[in-house]
């Protein structure tokens, strides 16, 4: 009798678009042939969104007019190209990565004001983190050195375990009305997790345990005053972080696209935050955290006998909203139930695969 995982694979290889078929064969089955890769690559490159991204690319390789944004930006464009599974030497992706390697962080391509926020001085913020996450997602960390950012990401999670709470790495301002991170401190955010999820050089038993213990600590809710508590960053004035994780209340349920994965009030309609669940699985921490293993099991319960995952999606922008804080849809559209099912089933398959196959 076929396993549930095999049924999911069979469904996707029969019905999904070229990107999903390519990634199933490459990531899950490890059986992608050179001929298949070339065939799928040719098909993917013809898709309208890929062509729009190519049109947005400037002479210096930079996509669009800014960094932090949607498909017409360097961040959104490179992440979409990587998620679509195109070959890393494809000109549009290669030129974009060369732009990351050659254009300095104070260039107006990164920010109109030309200011660099030092990611090693200020926690959970800075364009260098966004750059690192894009490089990691595109699997260019073997070409562009982001080892310091990988170390910073690991150390940011480790810092959670070194202090009693987020209050130890932050300070009050405005008469106690606001909380901001102290300088030269560390705290994990969405982009640290993104970097770790899409790199492998840091992975060993000890480091995976550090991430797991850190996440487990942030998932607690036994101190109400810490639940959902997220400081801002002080750079002469308070500014929001790049999805810093809360002191407590870290959750993989959500109410739509939002940079902060937090516990939500009762009575709110919730979706599984599939992106974060996949990233946690990629980091290898699911077996160490019962709450995450429970979520993975719940997602698998939505898979029917035909290998189709019927996970409910109330907030469609989680899949379709290709921007800084969302974007999972690889099918061209969801006008048919099959295409929608392929996208949802593919993400469920990745979660199952990485939850079961990390060190």
């Amino acid at each position: 009798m076929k396993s549930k995982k095999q049924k999911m694979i069979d469904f996707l290889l029969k019905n999904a678009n070229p990107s999903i078929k390519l990634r199933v064969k490459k990531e899950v089955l490890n059986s992608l042939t050179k001929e298949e890769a070339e065939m799928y690559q040719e098909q993917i490159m013809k898709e309208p969104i890929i062509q729009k991204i190519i049109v947005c690319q400037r002479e210096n390789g930079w996509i669009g007019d800014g960094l932090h944004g949607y498909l017409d930006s360097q961040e959104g464009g490179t992440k979409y190209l990587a998620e679509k599974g195109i070959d890393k030497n494809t000109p549009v992706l290669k030129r974009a990565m060369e732009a990351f390697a050659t254009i300095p962080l104070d260039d107006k391509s990164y920010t109109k004001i030309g200011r660099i926020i030092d990611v090693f001085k200020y926690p959970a913020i800075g364009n260098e983190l966004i750059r690192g996450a894009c490089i990691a997602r595109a699997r260019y960390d073997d070409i562009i050195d982001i080892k310091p950012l990988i170390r910073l990401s690991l150390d940011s999670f480790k810092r959670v375990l070194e202090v009693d709470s987020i209050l130890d790495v932050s300070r009050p301002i405005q008469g106690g009305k606001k909380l901001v991170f102290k300088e030269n401190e560390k705290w994990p955010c969405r982009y640290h997790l993104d970097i770790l999820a899409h790199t492998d050089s840091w992975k060993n038993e000890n480091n995976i345990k550090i991430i797991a213990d850190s996440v487990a600590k942030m998932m607690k809710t036994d101190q109400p005053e810490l639940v959902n508590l997220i400081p801002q960053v002080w750079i002469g004035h308070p500014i929001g972080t790049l999805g810093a994780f809360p002191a407590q209340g870290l959750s993989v349920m959500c109410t739509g696209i939002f940079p902060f994965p937090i516990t939500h009030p009762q009575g709110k309609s919730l979706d599984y935050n599939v992106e974060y669940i996949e990233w946690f699985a990629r980091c290898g921490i699911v077996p160490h955290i019962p709450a995450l293993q429970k979520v993975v099991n719940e997602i698998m319960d939505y898979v029917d006998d035909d290998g189709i995952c019927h996970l409910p999606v109330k907030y469609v922008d989680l899949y379709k909203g290709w921007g800084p804080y969302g974007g999972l849809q690889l099918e061209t559209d969801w006008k048919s139930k099959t295409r929608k099912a392929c996208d949802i089933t593919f993400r469920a398959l990745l979660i199952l695969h990485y939850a079961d196959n990390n060190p």
Side-chain angles (χ1 to χ4, degrees):
M1 183 180 292
K2 287 185 179 180
S3 67
K4 186 173 286 189
K5 182 177 181 179
Q6 186 59 53
K7 289 179 180 179
M8 296 167 77
I9 291 169
D10 291 346
F11 168 74
L12 291 171
L13 291 181
K14 179 181 178 181
N15 296 284
N17 79 347
S19 289
I20 293 175
K21 288 180 179 177
L22 182 152
R23 291 189 58 186
V24 168
K25 285 178 174 286
K26 184 177 182 179
E27 292 181 50
V28 180
L29 295 176
N30 195 28
S31 66
L32 184 69
T33 66
K34 182 175 180 291
E35 291 74 23
E36 287 172 333
E38 291 173 351
M39 176 186 69
Y40 291 137
Q41 169 87 3
E42 183 179 353
Q43 294 170 351
I44 295 166
M45 293 305 296
K46 292 177 181 177
E47 294 183 8
I49 293 178
I50 300 287
Q51 291 301 310
K52 286 181 181 179
I53 291 173
I54 292 173
V55 170
C56 287
Q57 191 163 41
R58 289 151 46 184
E59 190 174 333
N60 64 0
W62 195 271
I63 297 172
D65 295 322
L67 171 67
H68 189 51
Y70 297 89
L71 291 172
D72 57 352
S73 72
Q74 176 77 344
E75 176 184 20
T78 57
K79 286 187 175 182
Y80 184 80
L81 293 170
E83 284 292 312
K84 288 296 289 185
I86 67 171
D87 186 273
K88 64 191 296 182
N89 291 313
T90 303
V92 61
L93 183 57
K94 185 177 182 180
R95 290 182 60 223
M97 290 297 119
E98 288 171 351
F100 271 138
T102 57
I103 297 175
L105 284 165
D106 61 354
D107 187 88
K108 293 297 178 65
S109 296
Y110 281 95
T111 171
K112 300 300 181 188
I113 61 174
R115 175 176 180 173
I116 299 176
I117 297 178
D118 186 346
V119 300
F120 298 94
K121 182 178 181 180
Y122 299 100
I125 199 170
N127 285 337
E128 193 174 356
L129 273 186
I130 298 173
R131 172 185 178 272
C134 293
I135 292 167
R137 187 84 67 99
R139 297 296 184 183
Y140 260 76
D141 57 299
D142 61 338
I143 298 173
I144 303 174
D145 183 18
I146 59 168
K147 286 193 290 292
L149 292 174
I150 295 173
R151 183 75 247 174
L152 173 64
S153 300
L154 185 61
D155 287 345
S156 295
F157 278 94
K158 186 179 181 181
R159 189 65 176 142
V160 175
L161 302 175
E162 294 173 340
V163 297
D164 285 337
S165 78
I166 208 168
L167 298 176
D168 295 321
V169 298
S170 58
R171 61 183 177 89
I173 60 169
Q174 299 177 3
K177 294 179 181 178
K178 286 188 178 180
L179 199 65
V180 295
F181 283 111
K182 296 175 183 176
E183 291 184 5
N184 300 307
E185 270 295 356
K186 297 179 176 65
W187 194 263
C189 73
R190 168 189 175 85
Y191 283 87
H192 295 126
L193 177 61
D194 195 350
I195 288 170
L196 293 177
H198 295 98
T199 55
D200 295 319
S201 60
W202 63 274
K203 287 181 181 175
N204 59 48
E205 188 175 340
N206 182 61
N207 286 343
I208 290 172
K209 190 66 165 54
I210 288 172
I211 304 299
D213 289 347
S214 175
V215 170
K217 183 174 179 179
M218 290 185 288
M219 291 180 79
K220 290 182 177 180
T221 56
D222 59 350
Q223 293 179 265
E225 71 277 11
L226 297 180
V227 173
N228 300 348
L229 183 61
I230 305 170
Q232 292 182 292
V233 177
W234 181 262
I235 54 169
H237 60 276
I239 184 173
T241 64
L242 290 172
F245 294 161
Q248 285 197 353
L250 174 63
S251 173
V252 290
M253 304 301 292
C254 63
T255 56
I257 291 180
F258 196 62
F260 309 113
I262 58 177
T263 298
H264 299 277
Q266 288 187 350
K268 282 278 189 178
S269 179
L270 300 176
D271 268 356
Y272 291 91
N273 193 328
V274 174
E275 185 173 58
Y276 282 103
I277 300 167
E278 179 188 326
W279 290 359
F280 285 140
R282 285 178 177 274
C283 287
I285 67 173
V286 170
H288 301 279
I289 303 179
L292 284 181
Q293 187 63 65
K294 179 175 179 288
V295 166
V296 172
N297 294 341
E298 288 172 358
I299 292 173
M300 290 307 113
D301 287 341
Y302 283 101
V303 179
D304 66 19
D305 289 338
D306 295 318
I308 302 170
C309 183
H310 296 276
L311 190 71
V313 178
K314 308 178 191 73
Y315 302 101
V316 177
D317 276 355
L318 287 169
Y319 283 79
K320 295 186 176 183
W322 275 99
Y325 303 110
L328 295 169
Q329 178 185 322
L330 298 181
E331 292 285 345
T332 53
D333 60 60
W334 282 10
K335 292 179 181 178
S336 80
K337 289 183 179 180
T338 300
R339 284 195 287 272
K340 178 180 179 181
C342 286
D343 267 322
I344 295 171
T345 302
F346 175 60
R347 294 298 168 177
L349 176 63
L350 288 182
I351 289 168
L352 177 62
H353 175 69
Y354 286 107
D356 289 345
N357 289 277
N358 264 293

